[in-house]
Amino acid sequence: MSKSFIALLLFVFITNSIFSQSSIDNATIKNSSNFIKGNSITPSEKSPIKSVTAEILKNVVISGAVFDEETKQPLEYATVSFFNREENKIQTGGITDINGNFNVEVKAGVYDITIEYISYKKQTLKNKTVNKDENIGDFYLEINLESLKAVEVIAERTTVEIKLDKKIYNIGKDLTTAGGTVSDALNNVPSVAVDIDGAISLRGNENVKILINGKPSAIAGFGDSNLLSQLPAEAIERVEVITSPSARYDAEGTAGILNIILRQKETLGFNGSINATVGNPDNVGFTSNINYRTEKFNLFSNLGFRYFNAPRNSYNDTKYFDRIVDGELIIPEYERIIESQNVDRINRNYNGNVGLEYFLSEKSSITGSLFYRYGEDADLGLNYSERYNDADIVEKTLRTEKQDENGGSYQLALNYITRFDDKGHELTADFQYENDSQDQFTYIKEDYLISDEIIPEPFQEEKVFAVEDQKEYLVQVDYVYPIGENSRFEAGYRGNFENEITDYTLEQEDIITGDFFVNDTITNIFDYTENINAVYTQYGTKFNKFSFLLGLRLENTQLKGNIDSVLTDEELEEAFGFPIDVDFNNNYLGLFPTLNLIYNFGEGKDNEESFTLGYNRRINRPRSWYLNPFPSRSSRTNVFQGNPNLAPAFSSTFDIGYLKRWDKLTLTTSVYYQYETDSFERIQENTGKKTSDGIDIIRTIPINLSTNKRTGAEFGLLYNPEKWLRLNTSVNVFQFETEGEFNDVNYDSKNTSWFARFSGKVTLPGEIDWQTNANYRGARQNAQGTSDGIFSLDLAFSKEFFNNNATISLNVRDLFNSRKRKGVTTTEFYENYSEFQYRQRQVNLSLIYRFNQKKKRQDNQRRENGGEDFDMEG
């Protein structure tokens, strides 16, 4: 419960007492006057009637001001009470205004005057005689550390709130992610998983939309979730898991939406925090959060630097089959190929966010901010390849790949909000411009280490130049109109306009001369545009214990692409194996209804019980790298190739949830069903082409399969039996069934999988916190293979210093170094066993120091919630 709300309740109570007392006093005055007039009595000096009447008739005004002792900032909503000792009750009182001033009208008399503010030590003037208008001076209140400590213990707990269209996980002090990234923090949120490639999934489905503060953002990398691994975990305040999004949200993301709310300081004056991290493998980071806030404006900034090495490794063992093509037996050049790769990834990242929120009035404000990120990556990969026939090694090569990448992104954002009243009638408008540019250079060289040939044919050296430039505009307007106390109407518009240009050049060595020439068959420019226009409306109401939110969203999606290449349409079709539209312009118009219901059984926070039901229709739009048909060059034998014929997928999802909250235990459960048409599936197939040394070239390509059915259930428990012990566990079990075929190959599959996580936090003697996180992702299969289960364990310890202003943390992520993906892929041409580890075990030591972060602002009306918060469940 916020301080301002408590203060408001106290103010109402005091005001009610004043009015009640005033009515008694007026009645007494009236009766006394009538008594005097009716009996023609002239009271003597000792007459009780005269003394009572004189005291009642004389009112005085007492004024003053209240400030924070340390920052000297005024304290709004501080309470001032006048205690009448004779009557043994509070006679009257009041609260301070925005400048900390108070003016209280009170009867003349003797009082104990008390000045109070939540989390501060109160001050009392005892036996103060009040008989005239008087300014009793300024009061400077001192912070109450013991009271504040009790509040902080509650605040650090990770809790869950159930809304009509989402679950809100308030991130507590997650020790295992100290010094880590946003991706690390997300991996500890129920229903969410981050795999070893950095891909984020919701309930096992990777088609999840990532929002920052309710909007698409350059901070999230324009939809590239890998960039979240470059932002510190300390930036997150809470995560909204929106499995049944209302019509207000973008319809993209068949799995749902993850809305990441970044921390925004509500502290008056100058305040902030500094965080430093060192780790192994190399990990050095520094972040600062500096803010200055007055009653008129809030200036905020977040700056960070990080240098780290994220080594990865992989192992592939591929066995090739003999096959018959057009009645002819085809024997592969090699029966078996084993590849082992190790990559050092050196990264330097800088990011900064500065902004100003200006309060135009009590009801409106405008906020402008600039976000900037710059990164430099230097990767060195060594790939050893061994080729076998009849169990004998025939050839061994070393492929060296050096890749340098640098670039940055920035985002300019403006937000305007005006509140017409205090009942929720408001209008918000947003504008964002984002730009992202990346330059990438890759040098590829391969040499023989073993060969059965006396003079083997040398490999061509390659140079790859890739330049990406992406721009995006966002315009959004939302209007909310409350109808009575329990209903509201909403409407709005959102426009997203995005353009991405990829300029790709491949230079290959002329074996004879040693010179490099441009390979025109691969070199290309891909110009991609995605325009989305949407309008929505929705209506929500509550009656008794039942609430519902019904909405409809109309979206038009335009996907445009132009491929600039020297190849003709016929040559492109021959090269890629299917017809290619080099200049496509596709439009998709769709209606997306949403319905969310909630019924509350229990009452009170310690006996809360609710049942929810949700339905929504969603869209999965292919990203540009899924549409670009020109293959990657990360391997001579395995390439990824986009599919410009890919169309959006559409899904319908039903979700049923249940929550039960006791004093120390919270239970959440849900079951869900999703039916998706034209779903995406990445398949592998033989291109029919070979490398210069006779190895089959295998490509991975995304396609539209016909249907995908997904059914699942999840179960979660939050248990806080004592202040020193907190436990959290969740389990998600799901089954998905895929039906479809491509190039006359059937890809039907059915699979059941699950993932589970456990987190426990214990306070040891000496006030040392110990946290353990365990994660397990069950085995799964797709149309062409299976993957083994993955287990990982994280440990962390922390200790507070300097009156809880500083925290030192030591954590180990993936203690057993077991977070590896292992699986088998089988096609009619080969069988492949693979192991892949995206990041090795990490040990981090972090120190964070906070200053002036004790006193919280009380004006909740000015807090930015980053999106819709339709809370009508009482």
Side-chain angles (χ1 to χ4, degrees), residues 549-569:
L549 182 61
L550 176 65
L552 184 64
R553 188 178 185 91
L554 175 66
E555 280 194 358
N556 181 76
T557 299
Q558 181 187 37
L559 304 180
K560 296 172 58 179
N562 179 268
I563 303 170
D564 186 358
S565 170
V566 298
L567 298 180
T568 65
D569 292 355

PDB file of all heavy atoms in Angstrom, residues 549-569:
ATOM      1  N   LEU A 549     -13.309  -7.935 -19.817  1.00  0.00           N
ATOM      2  CA  LEU A 549     -12.720  -6.962 -20.728  1.00  0.00           C
ATOM      3  C   LEU A 549     -12.865  -7.525 -22.135  1.00  0.00           C
ATOM      4  O   LEU A 549     -12.292  -8.559 -22.470  1.00  0.00           O
ATOM      5  CB  LEU A 549     -11.249  -6.741 -20.383  1.00  0.00           C
ATOM      6  CG  LEU A 549     -10.487  -5.707 -21.209  1.00  0.00           C
ATOM      7  CD1 LEU A 549     -11.118  -4.332 -21.047  1.00  0.00           C
ATOM      8  CD2 LEU A 549      -9.018  -5.667 -20.787  1.00  0.00           C
ATOM      9  N   LEU A 550     -13.643  -6.831 -22.972  1.00  0.00           N
ATOM     10  CA  LEU A 550     -13.944  -7.284 -24.326  1.00  0.00           C
ATOM     11  C   LEU A 550     -13.386  -6.266 -25.310  1.00  0.00           C
ATOM     12  O   LEU A 550     -13.631  -5.062 -25.177  1.00  0.00           O
ATOM     13  CB  LEU A 550     -15.452  -7.432 -24.515  1.00  0.00           C
ATOM     14  CG  LEU A 550     -15.952  -7.805 -25.915  1.00  0.00           C
ATOM     15  CD1 LEU A 550     -15.470  -9.206 -26.289  1.00  0.00           C
ATOM     16  CD2 LEU A 550     -17.476  -7.729 -25.970  1.00  0.00           C
ATOM     17  N   GLY A 551     -12.612  -6.747 -26.291  1.00  0.00           N
ATOM     18  CA  GLY A 551     -11.997  -5.809 -27.223  1.00  0.00           C
ATOM     19  C   GLY A 551     -11.918  -6.347 -28.636  1.00  0.00           C
ATOM     20  O   GLY A 551     -12.044  -7.548 -28.884  1.00  0.00           O
ATOM     21  N   LEU A 552     -11.688  -5.427 -29.575  1.00  0.00           N
ATOM     22  CA  LEU A 552     -11.538  -5.790 -30.982  1.00  0.00           C
ATOM     23  C   LEU A 552     -10.462  -4.889 -31.581  1.00  0.00           C
ATOM     24  O   LEU A 552     -10.496  -3.661 -31.420  1.00  0.00           O
ATOM     25  CB  LEU A 552     -12.853  -5.618 -31.737  1.00  0.00           C
ATOM     26  CG  LEU A 552     -12.838  -6.051 -33.209  1.00  0.00           C
ATOM     27  CD1 LEU A 552     -12.574  -7.557 -33.330  1.00  0.00           C
ATOM     28  CD2 LEU A 552     -14.159  -5.683 -33.878  1.00  0.00           C
ATOM     29  N   ARG A 553      -9.525  -5.522 -32.290  1.00  0.00           N
ATOM     30  CA  ARG A 553      -8.421  -4.792 -32.914  1.00  0.00           C
ATOM     31  C   ARG A 553      -8.425  -5.086 -34.413  1.00  0.00           C
ATOM     32  O   ARG A 553      -8.556  -6.250 -34.826  1.00  0.00           O
ATOM     33  CB  ARG A 553      -7.085  -5.215 -32.298  1.00  0.00           C
ATOM     34  CG  ARG A 553      -5.889  -4.376 -32.758  1.00  0.00           C
ATOM     35  CD  ARG A 553      -4.619  -4.844 -32.068  1.00  0.00           C
ATOM     36  NE  ARG A 553      -3.487  -3.981 -32.392  1.00  0.00           N
ATOM     37  CZ  ARG A 553      -3.137  -2.911 -31.690  1.00  0.00           C
ATOM     38  NH1 ARG A 553      -3.834  -2.569 -30.615  1.00  0.00           N
ATOM     39  NH2 ARG A 553      -2.095  -2.171 -32.055  1.00  0.00           N
ATOM     40  N   LEU A 554      -8.288  -4.036 -35.202  1.00  0.00           N
ATOM     41  CA  LEU A 554      -8.202  -4.164 -36.659  1.00  0.00           C
ATOM     42  C   LEU A 554      -6.795  -3.762 -37.071  1.00  0.00           C
ATOM     43  O   LEU A 554      -6.365  -2.639 -36.804  1.00  0.00           O
ATOM     44  CB  LEU A 554      -9.240  -3.278 -37.351  1.00  0.00           C
ATOM     45  CG  LEU A 554      -9.170  -3.232 -38.887  1.00  0.00           C
ATOM     46  CD1 LEU A 554      -9.522  -4.598 -39.482  1.00  0.00           C
ATOM     47  CD2 LEU A 554     -10.094  -2.140 -39.434  1.00  0.00           C
ATOM     48  N   GLU A 555      -6.090  -4.686 -37.727  1.00  0.00           N
ATOM     49  CA  GLU A 555      -4.709  -4.419 -38.124  1.00  0.00           C
ATOM     50  C   GLU A 555      -4.510  -4.691 -39.605  1.00  0.00           C
ATOM     51  O   GLU A 555      -5.028  -5.689 -40.137  1.00  0.00           O
ATOM     52  CB  GLU A 555      -3.719  -5.294 -37.339  1.00  0.00           C
ATOM     53  CG  GLU A 555      -3.414  -4.796 -35.959  1.00  0.00           C
ATOM     54  CD  GLU A 555      -2.199  -5.488 -35.368  1.00  0.00           C
ATOM     55  OE1 GLU A 555      -1.623  -6.378 -36.030  1.00  0.00           O
ATOM     56  OE2 GLU A 555      -1.830  -5.141 -34.242  1.00  0.00           O
ATOM     57  N   ASN A 556      -3.767  -3.812 -40.230  1.00  0.00           N
ATOM     58  CA  ASN A 556      -3.327  -4.042 -41.598  1.00  0.00           C
ATOM     59  C   ASN A 556      -1.807  -4.149 -41.608  1.00  0.00           C
ATOM     60  O   ASN A 556      -1.104  -3.248 -41.149  1.00  0.00           O
ATOM     61  CB  ASN A 556      -3.761  -2.914 -42.522  1.00  0.00           C
ATOM     62  CG  ASN A 556      -3.327  -3.163 -43.967  1.00  0.00           C
ATOM     63  OD1 ASN A 556      -3.914  -3.969 -44.679  1.00  0.00           O
ATOM     64  ND2 ASN A 556      -2.277  -2.477 -44.395  1.00  0.00           N
ATOM     65  N   THR A 557      -1.301  -5.259 -42.123  1.00  0.00           N
ATOM     66  CA  THR A 557       0.133  -5.513 -42.205  1.00  0.00           C
ATOM     67  C   THR A 557       0.566  -5.478 -43.652  1.00  0.00           C
ATOM     68  O   THR A 557       0.003  -6.185 -44.499  1.00  0.00           O
ATOM     69  CB  THR A 557       0.489  -6.881 -41.605  1.00  0.00           C
ATOM     70  OG1 THR A 557       0.117  -6.906 -40.229  1.00  0.00           O
ATOM     71  CG2 THR A 557       1.975  -7.157 -41.728  1.00  0.00           C
ATOM     72  N   GLN A 558       1.570  -4.661 -43.932  1.00  0.00           N
ATOM     73  CA  GLN A 558       2.148  -4.593 -45.270  1.00  0.00           C
ATOM     74  C   GLN A 558       3.605  -5.045 -45.189  1.00  0.00           C
ATOM     75  O   GLN A 558       4.410  -4.457 -44.462  1.00  0.00           O
ATOM     76  CB  GLN A 558       2.074  -3.171 -45.839  1.00  0.00           C
ATOM     77  CG  GLN A 558       2.658  -3.047 -47.249  1.00  0.00           C
ATOM     78  CD  GLN A 558       2.746  -1.608 -47.733  1.00  0.00           C
ATOM     79  OE1 GLN A 558       3.035  -0.706 -46.960  1.00  0.00           O
ATOM     80  NE2 GLN A 558       2.490  -1.398 -49.020  1.00  0.00           N
ATOM     81  N   LEU A 559       3.945  -6.095 -45.949  1.00  0.00           N
ATOM     82  CA  LEU A 559       5.307  -6.611 -46.024  1.00  0.00           C
ATOM     83  C   LEU A 559       5.814  -6.408 -47.436  1.00  0.00           C
ATOM     84  O   LEU A 559       5.292  -7.005 -48.384  1.00  0.00           O
ATOM     85  CB  LEU A 559       5.351  -8.095 -45.652  1.00  0.00           C
ATOM     86  CG  LEU A 559       4.787  -8.480 -44.273  1.00  0.00           C
ATOM     87  CD1 LEU A 559       4.893  -9.972 -44.059  1.00  0.00           C
ATOM     88  CD2 LEU A 559       5.491  -7.723 -43.167  1.00  0.00           C
ATOM     89  N   LYS A 560       6.827  -5.558 -47.583  1.00  0.00           N
ATOM     90  CA  LYS A 560       7.394  -5.254 -48.899  1.00  0.00           C
ATOM     91  C   LYS A 560       8.867  -5.636 -48.916  1.00  0.00           C
ATOM     92  O   LYS A 560       9.582  -5.423 -47.943  1.00  0.00           O
ATOM     93  CB  LYS A 560       7.253  -3.761 -49.215  1.00  0.00           C
ATOM     94  CG  LYS A 560       5.837  -3.256 -49.335  1.00  0.00           C
ATOM     95  CD  LYS A 560       5.803  -1.734 -49.458  1.00  0.00           C
ATOM     96  CE  LYS A 560       6.601  -1.250 -50.657  1.00  0.00           C
ATOM     97  NZ  LYS A 560       6.550   0.227 -50.780  1.00  0.00           N
ATOM     98  N   GLY A 561       9.301  -6.204 -50.029  1.00  0.00           N
ATOM     99  CA  GLY A 561      10.700  -6.561 -50.176  1.00  0.00           C
ATOM    100  C   GLY A 561      11.177  -6.406 -51.600  1.00  0.00           C
ATOM    101  O   GLY A 561      10.441  -6.693 -52.552  1.00  0.00           O
ATOM    102  N   ASN A 562      12.406  -5.943 -51.731  1.00  0.00           N
ATOM    103  CA  ASN A 562      13.013  -5.810 -53.047  1.00  0.00           C
ATOM    104  C   ASN A 562      14.427  -6.365 -52.987  1.00  0.00           C
ATOM    105  O   ASN A 562      15.220  -5.966 -52.139  1.00  0.00           O
ATOM    106  CB  ASN A 562      13.037  -4.345 -53.500  1.00  0.00           C
ATOM    107  CG  ASN A 562      13.695  -4.170 -54.861  1.00  0.00           C
ATOM    108  OD1 ASN A 562      14.898  -3.925 -54.943  1.00  0.00           O
ATOM    109  ND2 ASN A 562      12.907  -4.296 -55.923  1.00  0.00           N
ATOM    110  N   ILE A 563      14.734  -7.306 -53.895  1.00  0.00           N
ATOM    111  CA  ILE A 563      16.043  -7.941 -53.940  1.00  0.00           C
ATOM    112  C   ILE A 563      16.806  -7.414 -55.142  1.00  0.00           C
ATOM    113  O   ILE A 563      16.371  -7.583 -56.288  1.00  0.00           O
ATOM    114  CB  ILE A 563      15.911  -9.477 -54.026  1.00  0.00           C
ATOM    115  CG1 ILE A 563      15.097 -10.010 -52.836  1.00  0.00           C
ATOM    116  CG2 ILE A 563      17.282 -10.134 -54.069  1.00  0.00           C
ATOM    117  CD1 ILE A 563      14.722 -11.462 -52.958  1.00  0.00           C
ATOM    118  N   ASP A 564      17.926  -6.765 -54.888  1.00  0.00           N
ATOM    119  CA  ASP A 564      18.772  -6.228 -55.949  1.00  0.00           C
ATOM    120  C   ASP A 564      19.927  -7.196 -56.165  1.00  0.00           C
ATOM    121  O   ASP A 564      20.833  -7.296 -55.347  1.00  0.00           O
ATOM    122  CB  ASP A 564      19.295  -4.849 -55.555  1.00  0.00           C
ATOM    123  CG  ASP A 564      20.074  -4.177 -56.684  1.00  0.00           C
ATOM    124  OD1 ASP A 564      20.224  -4.813 -57.751  1.00  0.00           O
ATOM    125  OD2 ASP A 564      20.545  -3.046 -56.491  1.00  0.00           O
ATOM    126  N   SER A 565      19.869  -7.952 -57.269  1.00  0.00           N
ATOM    127  CA  SER A 565      20.874  -8.969 -57.564  1.00  0.00           C
ATOM    128  C   SER A 565      21.069  -9.052 -59.070  1.00  0.00           C
ATOM    129  O   SER A 565      20.160  -8.733 -59.855  1.00  0.00           O
ATOM    130  CB  SER A 565      20.436 -10.328 -57.004  1.00  0.00           C
ATOM    131  OG  SER A 565      21.265 -11.363 -57.464  1.00  0.00           O
ATOM    132  N   VAL A 566      22.249  -9.511 -59.495  1.00  0.00           N
ATOM    133  CA  VAL A 566      22.518  -9.665 -60.921  1.00  0.00           C
ATOM    134  C   VAL A 566      21.829 -10.904 -61.475  1.00  0.00           C
ATOM    135  O   VAL A 566      21.714 -11.060 -62.696  1.00  0.00           O
ATOM    136  CB  VAL A 566      24.040  -9.747 -61.191  1.00  0.00           C
ATOM    137  CG1 VAL A 566      24.732  -8.469 -60.746  1.00  0.00           C
ATOM    138  CG2 VAL A 566      24.656 -10.962 -60.515  1.00  0.00           C
ATOM    139  N   LEU A 567      21.353 -11.786 -60.608  1.00  0.00           N
ATOM    140  CA  LEU A 567      20.697 -13.008 -61.065  1.00  0.00           C
ATOM    141  C   LEU A 567      19.310 -12.695 -61.607  1.00  0.00           C
ATOM    142  O   LEU A 567      18.582 -11.855 -61.074  1.00  0.00           O
ATOM    143  CB  LEU A 567      20.594 -14.016 -59.924  1.00  0.00           C
ATOM    144  CG  LEU A 567      21.913 -14.531 -59.315  1.00  0.00           C
ATOM    145  CD1 LEU A 567      21.620 -15.517 -58.204  1.00  0.00           C
ATOM    146  CD2 LEU A 567      22.797 -15.174 -60.376  1.00  0.00           C
ATOM    147  N   THR A 568      18.920 -13.389 -62.649  1.00  0.00           N
ATOM    148  CA  THR A 568      17.573 -13.281 -63.188  1.00  0.00           C
ATOM    149  C   THR A 568      16.623 -14.100 -62.329  1.00  0.00           C
ATOM    150  O   THR A 568      17.042 -14.881 -61.462  1.00  0.00           O
ATOM    151  CB  THR A 568      17.520 -13.788 -64.630  1.00  0.00           C
ATOM    152  OG1 THR A 568      17.820 -15.198 -64.637  1.00  0.00           O
ATOM    153  CG2 THR A 568      18.534 -13.055 -65.499  1.00  0.00           C
ATOM    154  N   ASP A 569      15.315 -13.920 -62.564  1.00  0.00           N
ATOM    155  CA  ASP A 569      14.324 -14.693 -61.821  1.00  0.00           C
ATOM    156  C   ASP A 569      14.538 -16.184 -62.024  1.00  0.00           C
ATOM    157  O   ASP A 569      14.412 -16.985 -61.085  1.00  0.00           O
ATOM    158  CB  ASP A 569      12.916 -14.302 -62.270  1.00  0.00           C
ATOM    159  CG  ASP A 569      12.570 -12.873 -61.865  1.00  0.00           C
ATOM    160  OD1 ASP A 569      13.385 -12.251 -61.156  1.00  0.00           O
ATOM    161  OD2 ASP A 569      11.491 -12.392 -62.272  1.00  0.00           O
TER     162      ASP A 569
END
